[in-house]
Amino acid sequence: MPVDFCLDVSGKAGYTCNFLASSISALAVDMEKGALSEPQLCSPPHAGIPEKVLKIPPSAGAKALGFPEGFPEDASHPHGVACDPSGKWLVMGDLGTNNMSVYSLPVGESFTSGAADFVLEAHKAADANRHGGGGPRQIVFAADGKTLYCVSELDHTVCSYSFDAATGKMAEVGTPQTTLGPDGQAWLDSIPPLPHNYNAQPNYNSGIAISPDGKHVYTTQRGADSVAGFVVA
């Protein structure tokens, strides 16, 4: 189940996130024909379902759909990939492990072994949220490659990270910002759990984009049915 795809700066390699298969694929690109090679796979490790999540029974919707206990934090579920503009690194956001993982390019031992060159745990979800982590979903680099933005699916936020192209290391900058506006929490609190949703929340963030001049970041929200815009300081 590929849920995201990106090309490196040369256009000669592509990468997918395979959400249900708990893997990332690297594919060579035939520049003349546009054809893709057989995938080379990376399987990120998973440390286990967060204790907080284990204490909360799955929703009726999750049971009806046959989702496993703790889904989507039951396993690694890669959901976003982006190559940095220098061409040296591939960054992956993992909704299941709540990690941001960095792999050196061209892919080598860190990719094939699943042991990323650098791993940063994303922020935890608030106590009132049924999930353990914010749940990194989609990611995008600023044009200069020094900043990376990530929309979190499970806690209605967007985050920014500094990125060092020399080392592949990243660090969270500032605090996660809600994508639901100033009245977002009141809106969430006013809506009862939806039994048809797999984990009974009224909103799940989805996409992210940055303007060409790098001055604005936009995210989309499923449930709130909205687009949020942020000024980049």
Side-chain angles (χ1 to χ4, degrees), residues 59-68 71 195-199:
S59 69
K63 292 179 180 179
L65 293 170
F67 285 113
F71 184 85
H196 59 278
N197 277 7
Y198 65 76
N199 47 6

Side-chain angles (χ1 to χ4, degrees), residues 23 25-27 31 36 48 50 62 68 90 114 133 137 165 185 195 219-220 224:
S23 66
S25 300
L27 309 102
M31 295 291 286
L36 301 173
L90 172 72
R137 180 178 168 92
Q185 190 58 52
T219 67
T220 54

